Amino acid sequence: MTSSAREFRQGLLDVLPILVAATPIGLLWGTLAASKGLVPFEVWLMSATVFAGAAQFVAIEVWRDPVPWVLLTVTALIVNIRHVLMGASLSRHLGGIDGRWHPFMMFLMADENWAFSERRALKTPLTLGYYFGLALPMWITWTTSSIIGAIVGRSFGDPAAYGFDFAFSAMFIGILAGFWKGPSPGAILGASAIAAALAKLYVPGAWYIVIGGIVGMTVAALLYRKGEFS
Amino acid sequence: MTATILAILGMALATYATRASGLYLMRGVVVKGRLKAALDALPPAILMAVIAPTILTTGIAETIAAILTAAAAFLRAPLVVTILTGVISVVLLRMFLSQA
């Protein structure tokens, strides 16, 4: 096996549990989208081109007739503004990868494969094979489960009855544990969580994600001590 | 073009703009010290912020389920087991708490 095939395989192995968790979330989203009047092709098109779970769930909340396409575009921009910070962080680890791939890699940058790439980069240089091993199976799983949800979703009944609506949060908690080293992550995560929860309650729209991220970063900068290797 | 297709393309372009722009933001910036500590904190802080409203302000069942899920993660359970812990405990807690 070539080294890039080995890297791809490692990415696929790492992302497998995420695929299992993403499938019911995709089915749920496809079902909700169809209930708002999107035809299966439109459901597939949004999952394939937007490829951002949180933004797609928020869009379906906002969706109505006639379709408010300007509002939906602006909402997607706000929910996904975190990607600017995520991309800035990930760009530090792309030095070993041909620049021609970077725009396409960014198209596939979802929370999960980004988090795994960041975690991988703590130990070993990030490779194209590993990244695509995470991202391509994610894209295939997300688009496929969305369109299946759109076609047959209504026969599943209420997804909350099976706890599927919590799978997204549980998946993020599992990924977060991989970042936990020493005492300072506790302070960073606590500050981010409280700021985001308060912002969700008092700030309209989806700004809470950006606010939580910036508060977490600020706490990390304040806790930083010169010479500390973190 | 229908308004639905227009909305999807608008969302796709907006999302790609956010994804691609980060690539150029840090170009030429030397990342070390306090800035590095802040950027390193970003991945967990963002993930936490996305789920914080769900686990802190939805209800007691979601909060307890999140604590159990975190416990499973810290006991180094495989990710699938961690996710199942969350999903199963939230179903049981919602049943139990709605009867109490």
Side-chain angles (χ1 to χ4, degrees):
Chain A
M1 196 154 38
T2 67
S3 77
S4 49
R6 217 169 24 240
E7 287 281 313
F8 186 92
R9 188 164 162 271
Q10 186 57 52
L12 179 60
L13 284 173
D14 285 350
V15 85
L16 267 180
I18 300 296
L19 303 183
V20 174
T23 300
I25 298 169
L27 290 171
L28 171 62
W29 183 77
T31 308
L32 294 173
S35 74
K36 289 277 182 158
L38 277 79
V39 300
F41 168 72
E42 291 161 348
V43 168
W44 176 85
L45 186 67
M46 197 197 292
S47 282
T49 62
V50 178
F51 188 53
Q56 290 178 235
F57 273 99
V58 174
I60 291 306
E61 293 267 328
V62 175
W63 207 275
R64 58 178 180 269
D65 195 37
V67 179
W69 66 271
V70 175
L71 176 66
L72 285 163
T73 301
V74 173
T75 303
L77 193 68
I78 296 170
V79 175
N80 287 324
I81 203 81
R82 70 184 186 284
H83 287 142
V84 178
L85 300 171
M86 288 159 59
S89 177
L90 190 65
S91 69
R92 297 176 295 156
H93 310 302
L94 298 182
I97 298 170
D98 189 329
R100 283 171 297 183
W101 287 103
H102 294 183
F104 182 56
M105 290 176 74
M106 287 297 137
F107 175 73
L108 290 172
M109 188 182 70
D111 294 300
E112 296 83 1
N113 54 52
W114 166 74
F116 276 108
S117 300
E118 290 276 350
R119 208 165 83 182
R120 175 88 163 173
L122 296 175
K123 296 177 297 193
T124 170
L126 187 63
T127 63
L128 195 61
Y130 182 77
Y131 187 84
F132 283 153
L134 298 170
L136 292 177
M138 271 293 289
W139 187 87
I140 291 166
T141 303
W142 183 245
T143 50
T144 309
S145 59
S146 303
I147 199 169
I148 292 173
I151 295 168
V152 297
R154 269 164 234 198
S155 53
F156 292 136
D158 178 14
Y162 308 105
F164 286 170
D165 55 319
F166 195 73
F168 191 69
S169 300
M171 175 169 78
F172 273 34
I173 292 169
I175 296 173
L176 270 173
F179 281 103
W180 198 285
K181 297 168 288 146
S184 54
I188 294 165
L189 292 181
S192 165
I194 292 166
L198 288 175
K200 171 80 176 185
L201 290 175
Y202 298 111
V203 182
W207 291 105
Y208 66 96
I209 297 170
V210 182
I211 292 170
I214 289 173
V215 168
M217 279 176 87
T218 307
V219 169
L222 292 174
L223 290 176
Y224 173 77
R225 294 280 172 273
K226 206 172 165 67
E228 180 186 324
F229 189 75
S230 64
Chain B
M1 185 156 33
T2 68
T4 298
I5 298 291
L6 200 60
I8 293 170
L9 294 181
M11 289 176 62
L13 281 176
T15 304
Y16 186 69
T18 64
R19 284 180 168 141
S21 58
L23 207 51
Y24 306 102
L25 194 67
M26 300 300 290
R27 188 157 284 183
V29 180
V30 180
V31 181
K32 61 180 186 186
R34 205 173 287 275
L35 179 61
K36 183 176 185 302
L39 275 176
D40 284 342
L42 184 63
I46 289 274
L47 294 182
M48 191 73 239
V50 171
I51 61 169
T54 303
I55 65 178
L56 293 180
T57 63
T58 312
I60 191 73
E62 284 74 13
T63 305
I64 298 173
I67 293 168
L68 294 174
T69 310
F74 277 112
L75 294 171
R76 298 183 176 280
L79 192 51
V80 171
V81 177
T82 301
I83 294 166
L84 280 176
T85 303
V87 168
I88 292 168
S89 59
V90 87
V91 170
L92 295 177
L93 284 160
R94 280 171 184 165
M95 271 165 49
F96 178 73
L97 292 170
S98 68
Q99 284 166 358

